[in-house]
């Protein structure tokens, strides 16, 4: 091919050059968004943004680095979409609470396909509000208290399993995922499965499969790279990210349990979420409002399962890990449980849990150091100015939970496990927005009370039966490595030794 009639250039070179330029322009054009608005942020690579840095540093490492380099408020991108990171607590309160009506939605989680498309975590605007107000009573403290006996049974099974494996090096999270799986099965569907003794039960097998989403599968990549095309196509052809066999299994479990509860005239017979949803549906219909369809009930059940199983198991894992490394804290928490149990008629009952102030401080501190969800987000639904920043409709706003909880300007020695920081005077003056592992505002974690009750109950019972100890192979916190994901998951299992206590004594 001749260029301007002057030089002869081989066709392949022309096409390759044109292709490269086109690729570069297509790959780079979204990345001028923040620069044009004078907002600082990391440099991006064509098409993939700063994905390689996320893979190299992990999500938390990359967030901390950007925080240091570009400040608490900066602009970045999730692949090709602009994201405003807000680590300023006043702005966070504006977005999540005061101006929440302009930030009702969350960004795409890649699971907007049937039936999860109707799940509370992905619903938008009015639809989300309607479902959230129907579901909120099912998570009231009264309902959580009614579920206490279900959690208690799972906690007993957990303690028995730990005692059986005592004095060995164990992957501690396995016990906690078995526990949270048992809790999910009983609190959601009223099923008693005992995964500790029967780790291969169908519920566990299919449940684990649901979390086995391949990040480099064509489905996931097309949702992430081309969401505007992929989401409608996935909806149209009912393509889901989840393995079909496992999905079908849960759809059947939920359908059967729902039919049983619908048919039962005795509303006090079941204390699980499914039963609460049936009651909430009837009550909404009685008041002339639209209740929940079976599709919507199915979506909520699966959403609770996906949102509550792994997060809670991780929270328990980190708490056990920090207590193992901090024997004095573990001993103090143990003595507190022992005393509280004696004061509550020899029971670690619901009221007793509320009195465990030091154990709760340990839990808070562990959630601060290792928040299971590193971030959350909101999508701006109406162009709004917040603290002088104009946030356009459609822009995703990221709340960096992890960075807030590790901010050295707020937390003294932020990388040290120190539960006493929640008792000090400074705790009173500290803005609570710096510790929001369950999010903030009307769209915060709906399962927070359940998760807190589960962890406190199980940990109190475990402390009475066993002591967590580190092993030579247990990595200290500064050496722990995490997977590159928005959830804080360790790369290699945390190994601990579990030593049975001879008896419940105050020694
Ligand atoms: C330690 C355990 C848990 C942690 C750390 C956690 C954390 C979170 C966070 C950070 C959010 C986003 C909140 C926001 O955007 O402001 C969230 C949302 C949510 N969580 Fe949890 N969660 C946990 C346990 C649970 C449990 C046990 C359930 C259910 C039974 C659950 C159900 C949900 C749901 C449905 C949402 C979406 C709420 C909405 O969009 O209205 N979570 N969670």
């Amino acid at each position: 091919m001749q260029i301007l009639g002057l030089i002869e250039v081989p066709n392949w070179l022309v096409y390759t050059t044109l292709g490269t330029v086109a690729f570069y322009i297509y790959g780079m054009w979204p990345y001028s968004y923040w620069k044009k608005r004078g907002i600082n942020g990391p440099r991006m690579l064509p098409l993939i943004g700063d994905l390689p840095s996320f893979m190299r540093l992990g999500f938390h490492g990359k967030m901390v680095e950007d925080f240091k380099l570009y400040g608490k408020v900066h602009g970045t991108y999730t692949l090709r979409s602009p994201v405003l990171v807000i680590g300023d607590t006043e702005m966070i309160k504006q977005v999540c609470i005061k101006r929440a009506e302009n930030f009702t939605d969350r960004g795409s989680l890649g699971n907007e396909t049937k039936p999860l498309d109707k799940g509370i975590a992905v619903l938008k605007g009015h639809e989300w509000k309607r479902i959230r107000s129907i579901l909120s009573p099912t998570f009231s403290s009264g309902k959580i208290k009614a579920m206490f006996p279900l959690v208690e049974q799972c906690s007993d099974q957990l303690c028995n399993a730990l005692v059986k494996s005592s004095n060995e090096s164990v992957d501690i999270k396995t016990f906690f995922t078995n526990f949270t799986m048992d809790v999910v099965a009983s609190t959601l569907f009223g099923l008693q499965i005992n995964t500790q003794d029967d780790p291969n039960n169908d519920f566990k097998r299919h449940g684990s499969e649901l979390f086995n989403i391949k990040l480099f599968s064509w489905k996931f990549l097309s949702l992430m790279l081309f969401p505007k095309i992929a989401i409608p196509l996935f909806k149209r052809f009912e393509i889901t990210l989840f393995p079909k066999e496992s999905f079908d299994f849960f759809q059947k479990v939920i359908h059967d349990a729902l039919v049983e509860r619908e048919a039962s005239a005795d509303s006090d017979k079941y204390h699980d979420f499914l039963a609460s949803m049936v009651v909430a549906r009837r009550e909404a219909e009685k008041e002339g409002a639209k209740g929940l369809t079976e599709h919507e009930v199915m979506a909520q059940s699966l959403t609770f399962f996906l949102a509550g199983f792994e997060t809670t198991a991780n929270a328990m894992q980190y708490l056990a890990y920090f207590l193992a490394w901090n024997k004095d804290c573990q001993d103090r928490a143990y003595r507190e449980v022992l005393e509280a149990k004696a004061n509550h008629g020899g029971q670690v009952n619901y009221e007793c849990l509320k009195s465990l102030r030091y154990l709760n401080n340990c839990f808070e501190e562990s959630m601060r150091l290792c928040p299971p969800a590193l971030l959350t987000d909101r999508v701006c639904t109406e162009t709004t100015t917040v603290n002088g920043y104009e946030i356009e409709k459609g822009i995703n706003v990221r709340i960096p939970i992890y960075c807030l909880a590790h901010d050295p300007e707020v937390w003294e020695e932020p990388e040290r496990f120190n539960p006493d920081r929640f008792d000090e005077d400074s705790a009173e003056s500290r803005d609570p927005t710096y510790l929001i592992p369950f999010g903030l505002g009307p769209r915060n974690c709906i399962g927070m009370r359940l998760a807190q009750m589960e962890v406190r109950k199980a940990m109190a019972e475990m402390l009475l039966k066993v002591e967590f100890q580190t092993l030579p192979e247990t990595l200290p916190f500064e050496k722990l490595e995490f997977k590159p994901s928005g959830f804080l998951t360790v790369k290699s299992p945390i190994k601990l030794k579990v030593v049975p206590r001879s008896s419940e004594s105050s020694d």
Side-chain angles (χ1 to χ4, degrees), residues 106 120 128 132 307-308 311 376 378 437-440 443-445:
R106 257 199 214 100
I120 185 176
W128 167 76
R132 178 98 189 195
T311 41
T376 186
R378 297 287 184 273
F438 293 99
L440 189 69
R443 199 151 192 179
N444 73 347
C445 174

Side-chain angles (χ1 to χ4, degrees), residues 345-361:
Q347 303 286 316
V348 182
N349 53 24
Y350 194 76
E351 281 66 37
C352 174
L353 290 189
K354 286 196 204 145
S355 68
L356 301 175
R357 192 159 169 198
Y358 185 72
L359 180 61
N360 196 40
N361 287 355

Side-chain angles (χ1 to χ4, degrees), residues 311-496:
T311 41
T312 314
N314 270 332
M316 292 175 71
Q317 165 186 245
Y318 295 126
L319 179 55
Y321 168 80
F322 286 117
L323 290 178
W325 272 107
N326 295 275
K327 186 173 166 11
D328 48 339
C329 301
Q330 185 173 178
D331 289 347
R332 193 169 150 194
Y334 164 65
R335 285 195 303 273
E336 181 189 60
V337 179
L338 207 57
E339 200 182 313
K341 184 178 171 184
N343 292 340
H344 288 84
Q347 303 286 316
V348 182
N349 53 24
Y350 194 76
E351 281 66 37
C352 174
L353 290 189
K354 286 196 204 145
S355 68
L356 301 175
R357 192 159 169 198
Y358 185 72
L359 180 61
N360 196 40
N361 287 355
C362 293
F363 181 35
E364 294 250 47
E365 180 64 342
S366 155
M367 293 289 270
R368 184 188 69 77
L369 281 165
C370 290
L374 294 170
L375 54 98
T376 186
D377 71 332
R378 297 287 184 273
V379 172
C380 179
T381 46
E382 201 63 66
T383 300
T384 314
T385 302
V386 180
N387 282 26
Y389 290 87
E390 190 193 63
I391 307 177
E392 284 185 326
K393 184 175 173 179
I395 290 296
N396 189 292
V397 179
R398 177 179 299 161
I399 295 127
I401 296 174
Y402 183 90
C403 298
L404 295 165
H406 287 249
D407 188 340
E409 286 173 17
V410 180
W411 308 96
E412 209 183 307
E413 294 187 83
E415 304 309 309
R416 187 165 79 86
F417 182 79
N418 173 18
D420 289 336
R421 66 173 91 236
F422 294 99
D423 260 345
E424 289 160 3
D425 294 345
S426 56
E428 302 264 295
S429 56
R430 191 188 305 126
D431 182 342
T433 315
Y434 282 101
L435 186 60
I436 48 167
F438 293 99
L440 189 69
R443 199 151 192 179
N444 73 347
C445 174
I446 201 170
M448 178 173 77
R449 282 201 195 105
L450 174 67
Q452 289 172 331
M453 184 265 273
E454 265 180 72
V455 178
R456 287 180 193 152
K457 169 68 182 167
M459 189 48 80
E461 293 289 3
M462 285 188 288
L463 285 177
L464 290 174
K465 312 271 175 338
V466 297
E467 187 186 327
F468 296 105
Q469 291 182 1
T470 56
L471 291 153
E473 67 260 38
T474 315
L475 294 173
F477 183 48
E478 63 278 10
K479 295 240 169 79
L480 277 189
E481 286 194 290
F482 300 95
K483 290 182 184 166
S485 138
F487 294 98
L488 199 66
T489 316
V490 276
K491 267 191 187 160
S492 325
I494 290 182
K495 296 286 176 83
L496 293 181

